[in-house]
Amino acid sequence: MTDVGVVLYGPPGAGKDTVTAELSRARPEYRLFQRLKAGPGRTTGYRLTTIEHIEDLDRAGDLLYRNARYGAEYAIDRQGVSELVAQGLVPVLHMGQVAGVSAVTPYPIHWVKVLLWCPVDVTKTRCEGRGDEDLEARLEVWRETRQDLLDNASEPWSVVIETHHHSPAETARIISDAVDSKATAQERDIRGLVG
């Protein structure tokens, strides 16, 4: 299965971390891609670095995607993805921007593009439950993600899952089935979902 990767896109609280943990628990070949991160905030799940290092990689053309959020810089480097694929693992990338999904999917493996969605009240409850100290910033990112989806309503998705209607185990099974079948991304009208 070394020629498959998963992109999980969705707002804060949609379950990207929880679903990735469930995927990895069920099948050890699934591996969270740890983005490069420079700046404040959470450190778990990232490879910590400096802005200068990210800029060097960017100038060298070694980044698939770079973005700033929550006062920090994040990057997805080609070498990091390649290392996981070379180990026979299925990289699971977490994305918060449709532009990022579009930027990484030209990397030459089959990408299963998953839209994880939940309403803003679910995001609020989940963020409070996990102790996020920047709740207002996360709710603002939820609104930005909703607008991003509306602005890119024709973006094709392999799977669309409303995580408030499915357990993490069910969500992981749906994604794993899509990976096994190498589901292709299809255009879906998601405006009713997020509108």
Side-chain angles (χ1 to χ4, degrees):
M1 219 193 301
T2 60
D3 60 343
V4 181
V6 175
V7 175
L8 299 181
Y9 170 91
K16 294 183 289 290
D17 288 332
T18 303
V19 169
T20 300
E22 189 64 33
L23 281 167
S24 298
R25 188 197 62 71
R27 292 174 56 179
E29 67 266 24
Y30 287 99
R31 187 66 48 88
L32 172 66
F33 174 81
Q34 295 187 331
R35 288 180 290 165
L36 296 168
K37 179 179 181 180
R42 290 174 34 183
T43 57
T44 304
Y46 299 100
R47 291 175 289 146
L48 301 180
T49 189
T50 64
I51 291 174
E52 292 77 20
H53 181 234
I54 291 173
E55 288 174 350
D56 289 345
L57 291 172
D58 199 11
R59 278 192 294 275
D62 292 334
L63 296 184
L64 297 171
Y65 185 65
R66 176 183 180 179
N67 71 296
R69 187 165 266 172
Y70 306 119
E73 290 277 333
Y74 302 88
I76 297 173
D77 59 312
R78 184 179 307 278
Q79 179 180 344
V81 174
S82 296
E83 287 173 2
L84 291 180
V85 172
Q87 294 173 48
L89 300 171
V90 177
V92 180
L93 278 63
H94 293 183
M95 300 300 294
Q97 302 84 23
V98 173
V101 176
S102 299
V104 301
T105 52
Y107 182 88
I109 58 176
H110 180 81
W111 290 100
V112 174
K113 295 168 46 176
V114 181
L115 168 56
L116 299 178
W117 185 253
C118 66
V120 69
D121 60 319
V122 173
T123 286
K124 183 174 189 277
T125 299
R126 289 176 177 173
C127 288
E128 287 172 339
R130 66 187 187 198
D132 289 341
E133 295 180 9
D134 56 351
L135 179 60
E136 286 308 313
R138 301 224 174 235
L139 295 176
E140 180 58 30
V141 171
W142 183 95
R143 290 185 283 276
E144 290 171 4
T145 304
R146 177 184 174 274
Q147 189 60 52
D148 190 30
L149 283 167
L150 291 172
D151 291 346
N152 295 280
S154 63
E155 180 71 21
W157 299 100
S158 308
V159 181
V160 176
I161 303 170
E162 295 180 74
T163 60
H164 53 294
H165 294 313
H166 298 277
S167 71
E170 290 171 331
T171 301
R173 182 190 48 76
I174 293 166
I175 294 167
S176 192
D177 288 349
V179 168
D180 289 345
S181 69
K182 290 192 176 178
T184 56
Q186 308 285 324
E187 271 195 36
R188 300 164 190 260
D189 188 354
I190 51 88
R191 289 172 292 188
L193 175 68
V194 303

